[in-house]
Amino acid sequence: MDTAEIRRRFVAHFERDGHTPVPSASLLLDDPNLLFVNAGMVPFKPYFLGQETPPYDRATSVQKCVRTPDIEDVGKTTRHGTFFEMCGNFSFGDYFKEHAIELAWDLVTKPQSEGGWGFDEAKLYPSVYVDDPEAVALWRKITGLPDDRIARLGKSENYWSMGVPGPGGPCSEILIDRGPAYGADGDFSAEDRYLEFWNLVFMQDELSAVRSKEDFDISGSLPKKNIDTGMGLERVAFMTQGVENMYEIDVMFPVIQMAEQLTGRRYGADHEDDVRFRVIADHVRSSMMLIGDGVTPGNEARGYVLRRLLRRAVRSIRLLGYEDPALPELFPVSRDKMGETYTDLHTDWERISRVAYAEEETFRKTLQAGTQIFDLAALDVKKSGRTTLSGDQAFALHDTYGFPIDLTLEMASEAGLAVDEAGFRSLMAEQRERAKADARSKRGQHADTGVYRTVLDEHGPTEWLAYETLETESNALALLVGGTPARSLVAGDVGELVLDRTPFYAESGGQAADAGTIEFDGGRLEVLDVQRPIKGLVVHQVRVVDGEFTPGDHLLHAQVDPEWRTGARQAHSGTHVVHASLREVLGPSALQSGSYNRPGYLRLDFGWTTGLSPEQVRDIEQVANEALRADLPVGWQYMTLPEAKEWGAIALFGETYDNTKVRVVEIGGPWSRELCGGTHVDHSSQIGTIVVTGEASVGSGNRRIEAFTGVEGFRYLARERDVVAQLTGLLKTQPDDLVGRVGDLVERLRTAEKEIEKARVGQLLSGGGQLASGAAKVGPVNLVAHRVDGAGGGDVRTLALDVRGRLPQGEPGVVVIIGAADGKVSVVAAVNDDARARGLSANDLVRAVGPLVGGKGGGKDDVAQGGGTDVSRIDEALAVVAAEVGRVAAG
């Protein structure tokens, strides 16, 4: 069976049993604890945690997943991969252990002719948690297997928890015996022999005092017992297709075959080559799926993972001997196989391929530059007598040049060096902790939502009226300070206030939260921020302006600042208009990847690999303002997500949407249709104006447009007008002639600067002859060791080379010039051929004086340069030069 048929039979099997088929969620769910969806149950977490009510009692899905902690092991074993598909069936308080086992066993063992997978029962072994006798009894009852065919495993293998207080429970796995060639009889820890391909989680326990995933207390039973299963599609595929591993299945092996054609190497002939072939097949597919879901290469978080995957794939095929751009050959092969299921890969191919191919081109240039840096670092290590490249150097290669650590390790090994991996990984860990701390510090990403959950459980959801009104009469449900309940706030205090109903828009979808006030009997609160820490609850960050605030039975008057809301509506609608204009000018593949808007201002990030020309920026602005002038109607309606997509609505990358209804905002009908929960104007003309103020890169494959809207747009234009008026007054010209007049002045300035520079260099070099004629004799060597105050690096190098050329021919000559300018030291050493023949090296001389002036440097034997920050020791450094020249010349 091909992979698509295995997937189809899985979904059909559970759909016949009353499960609701749920499409795969994006790989980029809004979860501060996850970079990517890494398990089939992740999209259903709010249901299992009781944060949301599921719209169905039972569901089934085939979920896209990415796991990258073991990325270095990809290809080295046949078990590790980064992208995979997890087939799952889920029960939310409906059926439990017995029916879950029945469903799994039926599909696995039913003959293929009857719609099953046809696995041989004689090779199947269920496993159970060692302390779950109920599961043992059920497996015996349902399968008829003897006791010795049911493996008992410990907590680390067969008990599921998330490592935090909440639901947990024992697991059962279905294992298949691949035979004695893969391991010893009965050794269930040998994953190659007894391969687990289906895991059934029986979510029945309430966990507390969680110390780790394997160390916790069970405080009781869950009020509703749930089922969460996961079946690895790739594992079932390779077992049913008669191949050895996941890399050889129908949706992956064609990439290996293309790599064979490109390189002339053969898969299966050499272990190291096989590892590289597998890396290529895995990483090409993973990269393509990530780009398809909106990730672009970068140096942080998701973008860094994608960059690493792409670069490992490129490097692997280069190590197989293929030097030309490879991704344009490999990506279409993976697209054609995966696109049979994920049709967006075809419709969005222009953008996906553009991002991938641009990253390969960047990396090809990076490899050249980074290799030179590595060579210098390796030379430095060897000259110092060491044999290990430091963790700092390895981390710099990784962080600055995008070198994976395994690339550095391999290059170091070829150079006869080791690498301080512990130091490197320590620096990597520090970087990850900084990234995590930064993520936790972002507004709205509350690390502990327990206190908000308690408020929601006690009082129910906030009645959110931001679409209907700008003011409400409300009751205070909770007052919090520092995450704990508080009794009151006095003037100047800041706290969090939960109301039973609110007109305030909570920050989401790129739109900033509303500003305004909340008045109470005897005082007033200023609303500083509004967030949704958990679904259903709106939390207002407030500061007491007047009076002492104590929650009570009296009504509060919540009032959104109407000017603020007007500006916010203009900016958010303006963002949609700019997005539509961008797509009209650049094409449909220019899709928004992020946005932020507040009153009077918007920024929009979009996937694009090249900078926009001034003409393109002007065209985008013109199309946008023509849409405003056309007074296009703005409307919204609710529909299901499939209906919205069929209608042509754009769903933004990484956003999560309600499974039942989504809100579609349209401007001018089909011209702009997007899924959006923000506040908007009623007609495009109410935006006022859109003034594009900038376009720039925000990372590889991502650009950003910024603009002002409404009154802020007019103010920006007024400031620009004032600047033009001042310049025309100063230059005594007309506005239409201003650019030419300024251009003339700039050209005259450049000419003057060139003349000044020519005169300055001439003056500097005029002393070269005198310095050469005054060279000191150090043994047989003519030495010029001289200090030049006010000279920077370029001047120092020019003078050193000039003096060296003036020294007597046929005699050893050494020139060391040290300049000082703006508190910085520049050192250049120049040595002629006769001096080098006597063992003198410019590189050695610069390295000798570098520490004295508070810096370092290096170069070749004939010319080397360096720098430092300690001007006070220049004379001492020159003395060291003379001593070093004398020592080498005497030797």
Side-chain angles (χ1 to χ4, degrees), residues 16 76 100 115 149 172 174 227 237 290 315 323 326 368 374 377 443 465-467 470 478 550 619 632 769:
R16 284 193 296 269
K76 295 177 182 177
R149 288 279 300 281
S172 277
I174 302 179
I227 288 294
L290 286 171
R315 171 181 166 261
E323 297 288 335
Q368 182 176 2
F374 174 86
R443 292 184 301 175
L465 301 170
Y467 293 152
L470 294 181
T550 303
D619 287 347
L632 301 175

Side-chain angles (χ1 to χ4, degrees), residues 493-565:
D493 284 352
V494 174
E496 291 182 311
L497 177 62
V498 181
L499 304 176
D500 62 342
R501 59 206 312 258
T502 180
F504 285 91
Y505 184 85
E507 178 183 9
S508 64
Q511 181 174 331
D514 277 335
T517 59
I518 299 174
E519 296 180 351
F520 60 94
D521 187 15
R524 182 165 55 96
L525 307 172
E526 178 187 4
V527 177
L528 305 175
D529 191 18
V530 190
Q531 296 289 332
R532 293 178 183 268
I534 58 176
K535 187 170 183 178
L537 202 69
V538 177
V539 178
H540 311 74
Q541 186 185 65
V542 297
R543 178 173 57 217
V544 180
V545 178
D546 299 308
E548 179 178 351
F549 176 69
T550 303
D553 296 331
H554 50 274
L555 284 175
L556 309 176
H557 183 72
Q559 169 74 58
V560 176
D561 182 340
E563 290 297 320
W564 179 279
R565 175 65 73 81

Side-chain angles (χ1 to χ4, degrees), residues 4 23 42 72 213 287 297 329 337 367 450 569 629 654 689 754:
V42 170
E72 287 90 354
K213 282 198 171 186
S287 302
E329 306 293 337
K337 300 306 296 183
L367 270 175
R569 294 169 68 203
R629 187 177 62 183
T689 188
K754 288 179 181 178

Side-chain angles (χ1 to χ4, degrees), residues 543-771:
R543 178 173 57 217
V544 180
V545 178
D546 299 308
E548 179 178 351
F549 176 69
T550 303
D553 296 331
H554 50 274
L555 284 175
L556 309 176
H557 183 72
Q559 169 74 58
V560 176
D561 182 340
E563 290 297 320
W564 179 279
R565 175 65 73 81
T566 295
R569 294 169 68 203
Q570 290 174 323
H572 204 151
S573 296
T575 304
H576 286 225
V577 168
V578 170
H579 189 202
S581 303
L582 186 75
R583 288 163 55 77
E584 184 172 322
V585 172
L586 300 182
S589 63
L591 281 171
Q592 178 179 329
S593 58
S595 68
Y596 172 75
N597 52 78
R598 53 174 167 76
Y601 168 82
L602 69 87
R603 70 170 185 245
L604 183 145
D605 296 345
F606 61 100
W608 205 252
T609 55
T610 58
L612 305 189
S613 68
E615 291 76 19
Q616 287 174 315
V617 174
R618 283 198 299 271
D619 287 347
I620 293 166
E621 185 180 63
Q622 181 174 341
V623 170
N625 282 289
E626 286 175 352
L628 270 55
R629 187 177 62 183
D631 196 28
L632 301 175
V634 180
W636 47 87
Q637 55 183 295
Y638 291 89
M639 60 187 71
T640 66
L641 185 56
E643 288 172 341
K645 289 184 176 179
E646 185 176 348
W647 206 39
I650 297 173
L652 301 185
F653 296 125
E655 292 289 331
T656 55
Y657 301 101
D658 191 276
N659 286 316
T660 53
K661 293 292 182 181
V662 295
R663 183 172 182 254
V664 179
V665 175
E666 66 172 7
I667 301 176
W671 187 69
S672 171
R673 284 178 177 156
E674 297 188 24
L675 274 61
C676 179
T679 62
H680 290 273
V681 299
D682 298 316
H683 288 83
S684 62
S685 61
Q686 294 171 342
I687 297 171
T689 188
I690 292 175
V691 182
V692 176
T693 60
E695 185 277 335
S697 170
V698 285
S700 178
N702 244 346
R703 308 292 299 181
R704 171 174 293 171
I705 280 184
E706 295 181 276
F708 286 126
T709 61
V711 174
E712 285 302 318
F714 288 114
R715 287 174 179 161
Y716 178 85
L717 293 173
R719 290 193 296 271
E720 294 285 289
R721 179 193 61 197
D722 291 343
V723 170
V724 171
Q726 292 176 42
L727 288 174
T728 54
L730 288 170
L731 300 177
K732 296 182 174 23
T733 188
Q734 296 300 311
D736 290 345
D737 299 327
L738 187 58
V739 173
R741 182 85 171 97
V742 171
D744 289 342
L745 288 173
V746 169
E747 186 59 36
R748 288 165 59 186
L749 181 61
R750 286 175 179 164
T751 301
E753 286 175 343
K754 288 179 181 178
E755 291 298 324
I756 293 171
E757 176 67 11
K758 183 177 179 181
R760 189 184 61 76
V761 171
Q763 184 179 10
L764 177 70
L765 296 181
S766 65
Q770 185 176 355
L771 289 174

